[in-house]
Amino acid sequence: MDESQGRVTKDGIRIYNTTSDFDGIRRACQVTAQILDEVAQHVQPGISTMDLENFIRTRVEELGTTSATIGYRGYQHASCISINHVVCHGIPGDKKLKDGDILNIDITVILDGWYGDSSRMYVAGALPRKAERLIQVTYDSLMLGIEAVKPGNTFGDIGHAIQRYVEANRMSVVRDFCGHGVGRVFHAPPNVLHYGREGSGAVLEEGMIFTIEPMVNLGRPDTKVLADDWTAVTRDKSLSAQFEHCVGVTADGCEIFTTSPSKRFHPTWR
Ligand code: MF3
Ligand code: CO
Ligand code: CO
């Protein structure tokens, strides 16, 4: 990274150029969003998560990008696919999807040195009522968090907006994983918590780029990581959902870089 370009705040958060840099991250994020759109048609009962991984890996290459997750801390795949009570970092494998399974697919591509990171929920077959409610609350909590993104607000304002809404709906926010600064690196300061107090944390400034990626459980917030050292699950085996957008702070709010080109960000939008 060229340290002469741009500025870093006292909290260690990089300030990007809202014209040229935002153009770079937007293009990476739109490839990510396109692949997340395309994979939707393959999500159905009987398909394995490795089949979905293979489709994603092929499209990452065909679109002239590289996967940020292959080789990241020893991770071997271009996607994380997290089914039902898996909270995040599910590893693709031979397990086949069943009717009513809900899953999060999370991918990060690199284009011209910019990292595009996003995830969404999908459903195999018919969406069960309880899962539908969980997915809707998780999606709405992400969008409420995004509404709090503007210069002068704090990261605590984002977390507070998410937590208040999720808990008002008698669900829980996962504490063990968070969003992050992103841009010309995959994971950078700050940690973007999905819970918190209003007015706490670093102050948002125009030019910051970060993800918001709340994980919401129907039961308790507690998670554990399986023996494969990646797969995080709910301790009480309750269903979990997650959506992830990458945003950039503008003069009067924010731009969402990972919007869906075909408006398929939510599994019930067809
Ligand atoms: N994409 C994830 C995130 O939102 C990180 C996945 S790292 C991996 O930050 F190695 F598990 F792929
Ligand atoms: Co992320
Ligand atoms: Co991600």
Side-chain angles (χ1 to χ4, degrees):
M1 167 119 59
D2 181 1
E3 295 297 329
S4 69
Q5 297 262 313
R7 174 172 77 82
V8 174
T9 69
K10 66 173 167 53
D11 302 292
I13 305 168
R14 181 159 291 277
I15 302 299
Y16 287 98
N17 181 292
T18 56
T19 308
S20 55
D21 291 342
F22 275 28
D23 192 58
I25 188 86
R26 184 186 302 117
R27 291 193 306 116
C29 285
Q30 283 295 296
V31 174
T32 296
Q34 180 185 335
I35 297 170
L36 289 177
D37 279 2
E38 291 176 359
V39 75
Q41 66 205 52
H42 299 285
V43 175
Q44 46 189 280
I47 198 167
S48 76
T49 53
M50 189 59 85
D51 294 332
L52 298 174
E53 159 72 14
N54 288 333
F55 171 78
I56 289 163
R57 192 182 286 231
T58 300
R59 292 300 289 148
V60 167
E61 287 168 15
E62 286 174 350
L63 291 167
T65 56
T66 55
S67 168
T69 55
I70 298 173
Y72 176 79
R73 298 188 181 201
Y75 195 76
Q76 302 282 345
H77 300 88
S79 62
C80 296
I81 304 183
S82 304
I83 305 175
N84 295 337
H85 75 296
V86 179
V87 172
C88 62
H89 302 163
I91 301 173
D94 296 331
K95 188 174 165 151
K96 289 184 164 63
L97 298 179
K98 301 186 308 296
D99 184 57
D101 280 348
I102 61 166
L103 52 150
N104 174 278
I105 303 180
D106 189 343
I107 68 174
T108 307
V109 308
I110 311 171
L111 177 63
D112 295 336
W114 295 97
Y115 287 71
D117 184 8
S118 183
S119 81
R120 307 180 191 164
M121 296 303 295
Y122 300 82
V123 58
L127 181 55
R129 181 70 54 86
K130 271 167 70 176
E132 182 176 5
R133 206 176 140 253
L134 170 66
I135 288 169
Q136 191 62 42
V137 167
T138 308
Y139 173 78
D140 289 339
S141 79
L142 169 62
M143 299 316 287
L144 284 169
I146 289 174
E147 281 177 24
V149 178
K150 61 176 182 194
N153 276 6
T154 69
F155 281 94
D157 293 332
I158 298 171
H160 179 77
I162 293 167
Q163 180 181 16
R164 184 179 50 188
Y165 183 74
V166 167
E167 292 179 354
N169 282 281
R170 304 156 77 98
M171 298 178 193
S172 65
V173 174
V174 169
R175 308 291 205 273
D176 302 333
F177 301 92
C178 57
H180 50 92
V182 67
R184 287 201 284 191
V185 290
F186 194 177
H187 293 112
N191 287 331
V192 180
L193 307 182
H194 304 114
Y195 58 92
R197 281 181 301 108
E198 281 177 295
S200 70
V203 177
L204 299 173
E205 291 182 43
E206 185 178 359
M208 289 178 176
I209 300 174
F210 53 88
T211 73
I212 308 178
E213 46 183 299
M215 285 140 275
V216 174
N217 300 346
L218 274 184
R220 304 286 309 160
D222 311 75
T223 71
K224 68 175 178 192
V225 175
L226 301 185
D228 62 24
D229 277 344
W230 283 104
T231 311
V233 300
T234 55
R235 280 190 177 268
D236 65 6
K237 305 248 178 26
S238 66
L239 277 186
S240 187
Q242 178 180 27
F243 287 90
E244 174 175 24
H245 264 319
C246 174
V247 303
V249 183
T250 60
D252 59 358
C254 73
E255 174 176 349
I256 304 174
F257 297 121
T258 40
T259 51
S260 163
S262 61
K263 304 215 160 45
R264 283 187 168 182
F265 191 77
H266 189 290
T268 67
W269 298 354
R270 281 291 183 268

